Structures are given as structure tokens and as C-alpha cells.
Amino acid sequence: MTSQAMSPSDDGGLETISAILPAGTTIHAWIKASHGGAPGRLTAHVDGGPAGAVETSNPHEFEFRLLTLASGGEAAFSYDPVTTDVSVLYAFRQPGVLEEGVRLLHVKPSNAAPEVAGGYHFRPPFGWMNDPNGFGRFGGRAHLFYQHYPHSLRWNNMHWGHAVSDDYLHWTHLPIFLPPSDELAARADGRGGAFSGSAIALDGAGIRIFFTEHMKDREPEEQVQCTATSRDLVTVEPASLILPARPAGLGLTTDFRDPYVFMGPDGKWKMLLGTRDREGGVILLYETDDPTAATGWTFLGMLHRENRFGMTAAECPCLVPLHGPASDPSTRWALIFGLLTSRDPATGRRNMTLASVGRFDGRSFSVEFEQELDFGTDAYAFQAFLDGSGPVGIAWLANWTDVSKDFDMATAMTLPRRLALRGGALITPPITGVESLRQRRLNADGLLVGGTVDLANGAVEILLTLHEAGNAFRLAFEHPEAAVAVELNDDGLSILFSVTNTKASPRYIAACARPSNIRIFLDVGSIEVFADDGRWTGTKRLPGFKGISSMRLSAPEGNVRAAEIWQLGL
């Protein structure tokens, strides 16, 4: 991506965005009419000759408009800022977009992505992001769709953003995939949009996506389930309604969302949906005999219920086999879902994510054990799929308790993680390829003798090997806006976090954990802790757009046997 050249024009005070573009370039423009009565208009010229124009009369919300440049050369896109507001303008070549991505020509300061030097976590190129959607491997590449509002750094009417990767780490940004319906696109009041969902591969080529369309105060249903297809993995065809109503007679609230579609052990497509009733969160199960999963969805019943911690709805459920083929009755499955509005009274942590491990026969799920997915709680809306020999998942690196109507908040995705069974527990280590982020080894000798170690831009990986499992230590970090540390003691493994002049912070702790090895990933805006290869995993979002600058280790002599520090980068 490259930024645009932008300058006032001599022609009546027009603003002009300029770039050299090849013939056949596709332009996506998001424009709205400024408050003046006149329609908004963006005009394109190539080498001084007219190349098209787009308009909108909507003064409330940015609307999508498309241009195709028949000829190549010096392209100039002009608009009158008195009558027209341009949020986002990007260009791409349709035949090569999956390899080349989009070229960002213009973005407003209010929705521009923050500058994060050396950051290696996935972030959108502009605007707001939350839940991962449609995470899967299609056409030989990993695709990540995500909840997206392009026009500010705060939540509003939901779109689906889109990116593609060969390794889950280096991502190519693609055109916005799924906008809200026309009715919702006419307003900028956060009434809903294309909420979370999933994707499956179509026979031959392309994908089928599933998503919740939400419209606040719509009767009789605020939330309904839709499907759409994409043959080229870039453009989506018109959506169709597949589940227009909640199951009757179960006392469910209007929460009815986040369709997760997967192949069951009986060779039929299954769908999970999150909802709630008077007792707490509920996960519903549907299936279809249609091999394309387009029609014929039938409600099978409640798959799972959870009512602890004062939660309301079960959100973003997913279900994946952990080992062996899905058709083998001995294969264990992991059912993972968010506990919306939950609060642990012992620690004060909110919006936790639960992983239940057991057996799934295509119609019922029998729980064998449960554990919390992430003791830091900032790995929310986790979505996983079976990629080759095992499942891979990713989550939104944030928590709804962080979201404010008063200030902007740029967010990221977690490092992608593997899921497996080991020693009677679910482990979630980072994907193996994360070692490719290592650029050079930093000197860790000072760390072991209690010295302060400089971390430059703060994009580092830290590995601690303890002399014995559970040996105590405290690793304190210097951060410009928060007090941050990782500590292991008799109580367990903790991420210590607090911000001055705020209410007391929750205790982010894996109680009674006694690991031997600690792996910590630091980046601007985040800390991720993986103990004993992900037996205990903790993720915490950090405020601001500056990284941790230094750290210091405190531990009884001999407790920490070895330490490594790696500078990371893409």
C-alpha cells in the first residue's frame, strides 16, 4: 500500500488525489454528501482526460461507489470538500488482487490506522475492527475476514474486511468484502450491519459465507441469518435469507447470531448459533442435507448451555476436532465460545471465553472437561478451523470492557494459535511459523543478573526456562501508559496490569499454574504469554500506540535457568 499525493486544485478549491495507475484499475470510493444540500461527487481524470465520476446524495453515511479506469497513466480524483466527503479511496487490479492486494490512495485522518513501527500483529489498513469471521483456507491460502467499520476508529454499522496470507503472519489487504444492506448503509447510527459469521469452501472454486444481518428494533427479528457466495474470493454475490426467525417455544431473547458452519462427523453440514434465554447463554445446533449448504437448514436442538459468571448471550461459538478424523467416535472436539458480560467474582475479569472438550456425534455434545481459553481474557471471539492435520484459530485482541464511546481505539488480532490435546488439557500455542518473525537475538545476559534490558521498539519475544516447574519470578516492563508485569508465584501465573487514575484492575491469573517454560510476545498494544507450550495462555491488550521500552527480572537465585530475547518484525 502507498499513500496518495493530495493537494488543493486550482479549479475552484477542489481537493485532488493523484496516483500513477495502470489501465483496467478498479477504484473503490466511499463518499457522502457534506451538509450543504448538494450531492457529493468524485470525478476521475487520467492524463487530463475525463475517466468517470460517481455521486451520492446521502449526507448521513459514506456509500460505496465503483470506478474502472479504461486507460492508464496519471490518475487524478477530484472533489469539492464543501459538498463532498471522501472517507476511503483505494485501487487494485482485479486479475492480480489476491497477490498484490489493494493500494490505498486516500484515508481521512479520523479513520487512518495508527503508525505502529515494527508491529507484527494483524491490523486493518483503516477503520475499526473486531471479531474474526470466515477464518479458513481457500484456494490454497489462509483468508481472514473480520468485523469492520471503515469510516472511524469506533464501532458502527458492520462490514466485513478481508485479508489473505500464505503463512498466517504476512497479510495482504483485499477490498472490503461485505458491506451492510442498502437500508442500513443509508444511516450512520450503529443500527447493525453484517455481523459475525463463517465461511466454507465450494466444490470447484470459491466460498460460501454465512453471517448475521442485524437491524436494531426490526420486528419481529433484529437478527436473521444470511448466506452468500464468492467465486473469485474477492467479490460477493447478493445474499439470501436462510434462517428468518429464532426457534419458537424456547423462550429465547432476540440474540440469535454468529453462524459457524462446519462439516460434522456424519458428513452433513452443521451450524452453531449463539443466543440466550432466562437462565443464561445457549448454543443452538442446525444441520442441512444440502451438499452446498445453501438451503434446507433444520433446527436440531440446544447443543450446549452455560449460565455461570452472570453471562448473557453465548457469542461466536466454534467447534473443531482436536485429533483424528471427525468421523471417528473417539475423536475429541473443542467447543469454544464467548461469555458476553460475564464477570468472575474472584478476579473481576470480564467477557471470558470458555473451551469445553468432549465428544460430538453430529447431534449432541458430551463434555468431558472445561477450561478457560485465555486467562488474560483479551482473546475474544476466537474462531478456529481444521487446517490439514489440526485446528488453527485466531481471536480479537481486545475486550468489550475496553470499548468507549468517548475515544478512538485501534485494535489487532492475536497471533494465530494451534489447538491440541496434551496431558488432559487443551493447549493453544502460537503457530509454528511464528519463529520466522525473529530478526536477531538480543543480549539477555543482563536480564539474569537483575539488570534493566532495553527492548528498542518493544516488538520482542522472550523465552524463560525455569530450573524447576513453578519457580517464582517477576518480569517487570516499562510502558508509557500502564504498569505491566508477568509474575509466577504460589498463587499461579499472572499478567499484572494497571493504569493510574482508573478503577482497580482485574487480576489476570491462571490460578495454581506451575509451568517450566514461559514464552512472551510483546508488541505495540499487546502482551501474549504462552506457558508450557500454551498449556496456560494469557493475552492482554495494552493502551496507546507505543511499545514496552525495557524490562527487569526479579527472581531468587537459580530459579531462572536460561533466558532468550528476540527482536521480531515482519
Side-chain angles (χ1 to χ4, degrees):
M1 284 189 307
T2 59
S3 59
Q4 84 286 2
M6 184 170 178
S7 62
S9 168
D10 293 333
D11 184 13
L14 298 182
E15 297 282 356
T16 301
I17 302 161
S18 301
I20 303 295
L21 299 172
T25 295
T26 298
I27 304 296
H28 283 186
W30 299 81
I31 65 175
K32 73 176 180 180
S34 299
H35 295 286
R41 180 178 175 85
L42 180 76
T43 302
H45 290 78
V46 175
D47 289 337
V54 292
E55 289 189 353
T56 179
S57 59
N58 187 354
H60 304 294
E61 178 61 297
F62 293 98
E63 294 189 331
F64 166 69
R65 295 293 184 264
L66 182 146
L67 279 166
T68 301
L69 303 184
S71 60
E74 177 75 30
F77 305 90
S78 300
Y79 64 97
D80 183 349
V82 174
T83 61
T84 308
D85 197 357
V86 180
S87 171
V88 176
L89 190 73
Y90 56 78
F92 60 95
R93 293 190 320 111
Q94 188 73 38
V97 65
L98 287 170
E99 293 77 25
E100 301 168 2
V102 299
R103 180 179 173 187
L104 188 57
L105 303 179
H106 168 78
V107 63
K108 289 167 61 72
S110 58
N111 57 328
E115 293 291 334
V116 180
Y120 56 89
H121 284 78
F122 178 85
R123 294 178 181 270
F126 45 80
W128 164 270
M129 178 184 73
N130 55 289
D131 306 356
N133 300 150
F135 188 44
R137 184 173 293 278
F138 310 113
R141 290 192 175 108
H143 285 252
L144 173 63
F145 303 89
Y146 52 91
Q147 291 284 273
H148 185 39
Y149 183 66
H151 312 305
S152 81
L153 297 183
R154 303 182 195 179
W155 189 96
N156 206 300
N157 292 336
M158 283 289 98
H159 305 54
W160 276 27
H162 189 194
V164 65
S165 175
D166 290 323
D167 61 1
Y168 294 114
L169 298 170
H170 299 80
W171 293 93
T172 297
H173 295 294
L174 298 179
I176 294 171
F177 185 74
L178 183 65
S181 66
D182 290 342
E183 184 178 356
L184 280 166
R187 310 174 59 145
D189 56 2
R191 294 184 63 80
F195 274 23
S196 293
S198 56
I200 61 172
L202 293 174
D203 286 341
I207 59 173
R208 176 174 296 281
I209 67 166
F210 304 86
F211 66 96
T212 299
E213 184 192 71
H214 177 93
M215 186 180 296
K216 186 177 180 181
D217 299 328
R218 177 172 55 190
E219 295 290 347
E221 299 288 351
E222 287 191 350
Q223 300 184 343
V224 296
Q225 315 313 315
C226 300
T227 187
T229 58
S230 174
R231 296 292 174 177
D232 61 4
L233 302 177
V234 178
T235 56
V236 64
E237 298 171 11
S240 59
L241 182 65
I242 52 172
L243 291 178
R246 295 161 285 167
L250 298 180
L252 302 177
T253 67
T254 55
D255 298 279
F256 180 55
R257 59 180 176 271
D258 309 334
Y260 177 80
V261 175
F262 64 104
M263 182 60 70
D266 52 6
K268 295 182 179 182
W269 290 112
K270 312 291 179 179
M271 180 191 293
L272 305 183
L273 282 160
T275 183
R276 63 169 166 150
D277 61 15
R278 292 180 180 178
E279 296 181 31
V282 173
I283 297 173
L284 307 176
L285 177 64
Y286 288 73
E287 74 172 16
T288 181
D289 293 324
D290 180 358
T292 70
T295 60
W297 286 99
T298 302
F299 176 56
L300 296 182
M302 292 187 180
L303 182 74
H304 189 74
R305 163 183 296 285
E306 179 62 51
N307 60 6
R308 287 175 286 181
F309 305 113
M311 68 176 292
T312 51
E315 285 199 311
C316 303
C318 73
L319 183 60
V320 289
L322 295 173
H323 64 90
S327 58
D328 187 340
S330 67
T331 295
R332 266 68 170 186
W333 295 64
L335 175 64
I336 300 170
F337 57 99
L339 281 59
L340 183 64
T341 71
S342 57
R343 182 183 184 277
D344 178 7
T347 63
R349 294 171 305 146
R350 302 292 304 271
N351 297 309
M352 296 172 290
T353 298
L354 193 67
S356 297
V357 176
R359 299 176 193 264
F360 176 62
D361 63 7
R363 300 184 73 89
S364 62
F365 179 73
S366 56
V367 178
E368 296 183 357
F369 69 89
E370 296 175 326
Q371 68 182 64
E372 197 171 349
L373 185 73
D374 189 292
F375 70 85
T377 71
D378 286 3
Y380 197 72
F382 188 87
Q383 187 171 101
F385 75 101
L386 191 61
D387 188 15
S389 61
V392 175
I394 198 168
W396 180 39
L397 207 165
N399 193 294
W400 286 113
T401 58
D402 293 338
V403 177
S404 171
K405 296 180 180 179
D406 300 323
F407 61 86
D408 296 336
M409 188 185 90
T411 61
M413 294 296 180
T414 64
L415 285 174
R417 299 167 184 184
R418 297 183 291 113
L419 295 89
L421 279 179
R422 181 183 298 168
L426 176 66
I427 65 170
T428 57
I431 57 170
T432 303
V434 77
E435 290 80 8
S436 67
L437 296 173
R438 295 174 178 174
Q439 296 184 335
R440 68 182 185 278
R441 190 192 294 264
L442 304 181
N443 190 341
D445 293 342
L447 192 67
L448 294 176
V449 297
T452 298
V453 177
D454 180 72
L455 297 179
N457 68 354
V460 297
E461 176 188 0
I462 305 157
L463 299 100
L464 300 181
T465 303
L466 307 183
H467 188 266
E468 294 183 1
N471 278 168
F473 73 88
R474 179 187 176 100
L475 193 59
F477 300 103
E478 183 66 29
H479 186 274
E481 297 188 29
V484 185
V486 173
E487 183 175 69
L488 179 61
N489 57 28
D490 290 343
D491 293 334
L493 177 65
S494 300
I495 298 174
L496 306 177
F497 173 84
S498 63
V499 179
T500 57
N501 301 322
T502 63
K503 60 184 179 181
S505 179
R507 294 179 62 221
Y508 301 103
I509 183 169
C512 303
R514 293 181 57 80
S516 299
N517 300 281
I518 316 294
R519 193 177 186 189
I520 302 170
F521 289 85
L522 302 178
D523 200 356
V524 171
S526 66
I527 177 171
E528 293 177 270
V529 178
F530 302 91
D532 282 1
D533 200 29
R535 168 59 186 88
W536 296 280
T537 299
T539 307
K540 184 72 192 78
R541 178 183 173 272
L542 303 179
F545 305 113
K546 294 182 180 179
I548 286 171
S549 58
S550 65
M551 64 181 177
R552 185 183 179 114
L553 177 67
S554 303
E557 185 175 357
N559 273 18
V560 180
R561 189 171 67 191
E564 294 179 40
I565 309 171
W566 291 90
Q567 179 71 57
L568 303 182
L570 293 172

